[in-house]
């Protein structure tokens, strides 16, 4: 059972480039989310989804897009990368329809924007 | 506005002793609290939780205490083991909330 799988694990971008961080879960969880972790700031919610076709903004959504076409996948798109988006990104899912309980996290994707 | 705060960035304890990690919150609507543990190059993993209707929850070596009047919770690890060395995040949520609010994290180091 793979759980939550994120790809790539590492990525280096130049300012202005775009890219997509992939997230897939095989637990049939309705809730999926993206967090970013920065030193001294904990984990901050970027976007979340409570089911296929439904997405909403979190605490720090600017510069990011998401879509949820299937239950399993929840990609995060950086439209025009900026150095401020250098961070470690975590995808998380939950069997609840809301993300306020126990979350299952992926291993993270470390992004550096030059 | 940091609604969940972990004021100690790091904590160092000796193996076998007690580790106490602290967390304060400001939002009185929070009714569910969780602790996550994170090793380097891995995602956070759920450790233990507590509902606001309780003041203590225990799971093996881990106990979480909640003081609602002080808006404070703590995680006790007894006895501490070197394998407990990790970053610990506390998190909180409000009723019917769609998200967890995380603290900044505390790096725990347990020395052999």
């Amino acid at each position: 059972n793979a759980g939550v799988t994120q790809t790539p694990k590492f990525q280096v971008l130049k300012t202005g480039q775009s890219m997509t961080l992939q997230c897939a879960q095989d637990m049939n969880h309705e809730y999926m989310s993206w967090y970013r972790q920065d030193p001294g700031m904990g984990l901050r919610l970027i976007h979340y989804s409570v089911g296929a076709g439904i997405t909403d903004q979190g605490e720090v959504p600017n510069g990011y897009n998401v879509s949820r076409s299937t239950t399993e996948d929840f990609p995060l798109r950086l439209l025009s990368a900026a150095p401020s988006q250098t961070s470690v990104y975590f995808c998380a899912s939950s069997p609840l329809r809301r993300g306020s309980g126990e979350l299952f996290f992926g291993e993270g994707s470390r992004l550096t924007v030059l | 506005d940091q609604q969940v705060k972990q004021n100690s960035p790091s904590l160092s304890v000796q193996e076998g002793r007690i580790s106490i990690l602290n967390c304060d919150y400001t939002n009185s609507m929070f009714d569910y609290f969780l602790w996550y543990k994170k090793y380097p190059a891995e995602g956070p993993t759920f450790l233990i939780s507590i509902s606001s209707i309780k003041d203590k929850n225990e799971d093996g070596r881990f106990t979480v205490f909640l003081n609602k009047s002080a808006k404070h919770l703590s995680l006790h690890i007894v006895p501490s083991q070197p394998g407990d060395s990790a970053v610990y995040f506390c998190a909180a949520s409000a009723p019917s909330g769609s998200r967890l609010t995380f603290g900044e994290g505390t790096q725990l180091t347990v020395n052999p």
Side-chain angles (χ1 to χ4, degrees):
Chain A
N1 196 349
V4 179
T5 303
Q6 292 182 232
T7 56
K9 287 189 169 34
F10 302 94
Q11 183 72 50
V12 179
L13 289 178
K14 294 182 180 178
T15 296
Q17 288 185 315
S18 62
M19 78 156 299
T20 299
L21 298 176
Q22 302 290 346
C23 176
Q25 53 93 8
D26 61 0
M27 297 174 283
N28 202 32
H29 287 173
E30 293 200 72
Y31 180 93
M32 295 186 75
S33 57
W34 279 100
Y35 284 84
R36 59 179 288 176
Q37 183 194 3
D38 302 291
M41 304 196 75
L43 293 156
R44 293 181 294 168
L45 181 65
I46 305 171
H47 284 286
Y48 66 96
S49 168
V50 297
I54 307 169
T55 63
D56 207 345
Q57 296 181 350
E59 185 183 352
V60 287
N62 292 341
Y64 307 95
N65 261 0
V66 292
S67 59
R68 185 92 180 271
S69 56
T70 66
T71 300
E72 295 78 20
D73 300 299
F74 191 45
L76 178 72
R77 297 182 186 84
L78 281 71
L79 308 172
S80 177
S84 61
Q85 293 179 304
T86 294
S87 187
V88 181
Y89 292 85
F90 291 98
C91 180
S93 70
S94 169
L96 300 177
R97 193 165 170 82
R98 54 188 175 91
S100 49
E102 180 184 344
L103 294 175
F104 294 80
F105 284 87
E107 293 187 337
S109 298
R110 182 175 292 275
L111 175 66
T112 302
V113 183
L114 303 175
Chain B
D1 177 25
Q2 190 72 15
Q3 297 186 60
V4 178
K5 282 200 67 66
Q6 295 176 254
N7 290 313
S8 298
S10 63
L11 174 69
S12 182
V13 300
Q14 285 299 119
E15 180 178 5
R17 307 294 287 268
I18 184 172
S19 296
I20 300 176
L21 296 97
N22 294 303
C23 180
D24 297 296
Y25 62 96
T26 57
N27 188 342
S28 57
M29 295 300 292
F30 287 148
D31 70 338
Y32 191 59
F33 305 88
L34 306 90
W35 284 94
Y36 284 81
K37 177 179 181 179
K38 184 184 178 306
Y39 292 118
E42 294 184 10
T45 55
F46 170 74
L47 187 58
I48 192 170
S49 63
I50 187 167
S51 165
S52 61
I53 62 174
K54 295 185 174 181
D55 55 16
K56 176 183 174 181
N57 189 27
E58 197 170 349
D59 183 2
R61 296 185 297 114
F62 303 91
T63 303
V64 56
F65 295 91
L66 176 62
N67 182 334
K68 288 191 293 292
S69 61
K71 294 190 177 67
H72 177 84
L73 67 155
S74 60
L75 175 68
H76 292 213
I77 307 174
V78 182
S80 301
Q81 299 174 353
D84 296 329
S85 297
V87 176
Y88 289 77
F89 291 99
C90 70
S93 67
S96 70
S98 57
R99 64 187 69 179
L100 290 179
T101 301
F102 285 84
E104 303 93 328
T106 297
Q107 171 70 58
L108 173 67
T109 302
V110 181
N111 300 302

